[in-house]
Amino acid sequence: MWGGRFAEGPSAIMREINASIPFDKALWRQDIAASKAHVAMLGAQGIVSSADMKAISDGLDAVAAEYEKDGVPEDWDLEDIHMTTESRLAELIGPAAGRLHTARSRNDQVATDFRLWVRETLDQTDAGLASLQRALVTQAEAHADSIMPGFTHLQTAQPVTLGHHLMAYYEMLRRDRSRLQDARDRMNECPLGSAALAGTGFPIDRDATAMALSFDRPTANSLDAVSDRDFALDYLMAASQISLHLSRLAEEFIIWASQPFGFVRMADSLSTGSSIMPQKKNPDAAELVRGHAGRIIGAATSLMITMKGLPLAYSKDMQDDKPPVFEAAGLLALSIAAMTGMVADSTFKTDRMRQAAELGYATATDLADWLVTEADIPFREAHHITGAAVKLAEQRGVALDELSLEDLKAIDARIDERVYAALSVEASVAARKSYGGTAPDQVRNQVTAARVELGMET
Ligand code: ARG
């Protein structure tokens, strides 16, 4: 490609270190689309003749058809997807192919291609999260009344409903989706026409190419446009946060599926057996989602470090932007799909959850609250009285509501038999009807709002 300047070809090492085709061939669709938009603009502006424009555009379609059918050939001498496509175009249509690169550089070309790729991936990620949200909402609705222990410090705290617990993840994903939307709005500017770094002397129409590629507008500074990878970082940051949420949900399933908990039976389709222990059913998919979060966050770190300290404008370091993004996107898509299946296809063992909710004095706060409401005792004192009741129940080895009224009255004479109604786990969750609380009616309200937001039938 640059025989004019160089006397000798590159060494084998140079060829290998320089070649990005092994991974950037993933950009072929975006590369063809951006080239077609570019040449259409060149034709419209009279920078290339309409005959050449048509030959190039048809030729690009022919190259695309070949890629679709046989894959993209990997010739290291051609370095990257941009030169691979241009070289094949030249083989197919002859010297007119050389006019495609007028008023363009690979620097604005790759910045455009990669933005298109990330934008598309972002939309797919968002659609995946919407599916996972639908699965959560469906299970939450079915389990708006199912009682389980709520934890703080992974110690039994207060009874909650499973629906409430699942809807907590709905909220995390709602924020994730809004982060994706922010990133999309910010990245939707077209670098094409920035050329190598300084813009071009040709009378191009940047608005036309931006519009043709569904960008909101062209980027405003050519130096920034060719050296900016914030769009990829925004995606990786959002992906990292999504992976954090998915790994937390995965961890819940891992704990819930363990025998001492026994809260959930995971679908066989997302579990594996052990090669030595016949009784085992392992939550491998959930563990891999938890593990993948490490690699996705690693990808974000990798690109930040690549970009750190680079002077304007393009430097070849930036070719290393793609592998971490591609890797993270693949891992994230799989993780979202796995968690969607896990949520949708798991069977929750609600009896077991309810039993567990009755252990650990989960309704102690309800006793304290009852003392405040019914006996007008200040909360701190009520807390103290309840502590004594828990201590006694612990000594006797019984639940709070198994203490006799006599025992309770001995702790504080103001307690009467109405207290028992407050001590059941059902009464406990039903009482927590503050906005956003765990009461089944509140959960149903959350579900209804979510259904509207997701465009599900209500
Ligand atoms: N393969 C290169 C990349 O991915 C394309 C841009 C090359 N630009 C250059 N000035 N060598 O970054």
Side-chain angles (χ1 to χ4, degrees), residues 20 24 80 82 106-107 110 314 316 318-319 322:
S20 55
D24 69 17
D80 55 28
H82 323 296
R106 280 188 294 161
N107 295 348
V110 73
Y314 177 87
K316 200 61 176 261
M318 292 169 65
Q319 179 164 283
K322 287 164 226 61

Side-chain angles (χ1 to χ4, degrees), residues 120-277:
E120 216 172 292
T121 300
L122 225 143
D123 291 343
Q124 287 161 5
T125 307
D126 186 65
L129 291 182
S131 300
L132 176 50
Q133 282 184 314
R134 278 192 284 273
L136 286 164
V137 166
T138 303
Q139 288 282 22
E141 185 163 42
H143 291 290
D145 296 284
S146 304
I147 292 172
M148 66 179 284
F151 302 99
T152 60
H153 316 269
L154 201 55
Q155 305 286 312
T156 298
Q158 292 173 355
V160 296
T161 52
L162 173 57
H164 192 223
H165 195 120
L166 294 173
M167 287 305 286
Y169 284 92
Y170 171 85
E171 290 297 319
M172 293 178 222
L173 301 183
R174 207 168 60 80
R175 293 192 294 276
D176 288 332
R177 293 185 63 195
S178 93
R179 254 184 295 276
L180 290 173
Q181 189 58 50
D182 289 349
R184 194 189 201 287
D185 291 345
R186 204 158 32 242
M187 79 173 59
N188 208 26
E189 297 183 341
C190 186
L192 197 58
S194 300
L197 73 165
T200 176
F202 290 100
I204 60 171
D205 180 351
R206 293 196 58 207
D207 290 307
T209 41
M211 209 183 347
L213 296 168
S214 303
F215 286 108
D216 295 332
R217 63 193 81 86
T219 51
N221 181 299
S222 61
L223 286 168
D224 176 49
V226 294
S227 57
D228 164 44
R229 293 297 181 268
D230 288 0
F231 64 91
L233 281 170
D234 274 352
Y235 168 69
L236 288 175
M237 303 294 182
S240 295
Q241 210 147 351
I242 295 165
S243 77
L244 288 185
H245 293 151
L246 297 183
S247 77
R248 292 182 74 176
L249 182 57
E251 173 68 1
E252 306 260 25
F253 273 91
I254 292 164
I255 294 173
W256 292 351
S258 71
Q259 282 72 19
F261 269 78
F263 286 4
V264 73
R265 215 190 79 84
M266 278 201 222
D268 289 348
S269 54
L270 284 166
S271 318
T272 59
S274 155
S275 54
I276 176 166
M277 295 166 283

Side-chain angles (χ1 to χ4, degrees), residues 34-44 48 52-53 56-57 60 100:
S35 286
K36 285 186 69 173
H38 182 64
V39 78
M41 181 278 291
L42 293 179
V48 302
D52 282 344
M53 173 190 83
I56 292 169
S57 194
L60 287 166
L100 169 60

Side-chain angles (χ1 to χ4, degrees), residues 382-393:
H383 185 282
H384 188 80
I385 296 166
T386 305
V390 169
K391 196 168 155 200
L392 181 65

Side-chain angles (χ1 to χ4, degrees), residues 1-2 10 15 19 21 74-80 83:
M1 282 271 176
W2 25 66
R15 264 211 310 275
I21 187 68
E74 258 185 56
D75 178 352
W76 288 356
D77 285 328
L78 292 173
E79 290 189 21
D80 55 28
M83 305 233 290

